[in-house]
Amino acid sequence: QVQLVESGGGLVQPGGSLRLSCAASGSIGSINAMGWYRQAPGKEREMVARITSTVSTWYADSLKGRFTISRDNAKNTVYLQMNSLKPDDTAVYYCNAAIRPRGVSHSSDYWGQGTQVTVSS
């Protein structure tokens, strides 16, 4: 069974930084794209950033320059470095990955449980 576990959320003051991590574990054959989404209270879930297996990246326009996504394939882990945080960044952040389990011919989408990020003074 494949799992994604996030860590690194918390309370930070405006202008501060946080680094989120998401580790995939279980019977993994291969991992394709990995990404981060977020959902603020009363709003729809939105994509924040995505990184492919060949390390191509995509960011939501409003976050370019402040957030950086990276991955460590040896650790099956994706990171999200968030700088210059604003109160509008407050949300639950979810990790997502397209993973092909061992012995399976196709990839499926997996989600983490979410980690709360609160930006407030």
Side-chain angles (χ1 to χ4, degrees), residues 48-70:
V48 172
R50 192 162 179 83
I51 184 167
T52 68
S53 58
T54 56
V55 202
S56 291
T57 57
W58 176 93
Y59 295 93
D61 283 343
S62 61
L63 302 175
K64 286 179 183 175
R66 294 195 299 123
F67 288 16
T68 302
I69 190 170
S70 60

Side-chain angles (χ1 to χ4, degrees), residues 7-22:
S7 60
L11 174 64
V12 63
Q13 292 188 340
S17 298
L18 279 176
R19 189 193 196 206
L20 305 182
S21 299
C22 171

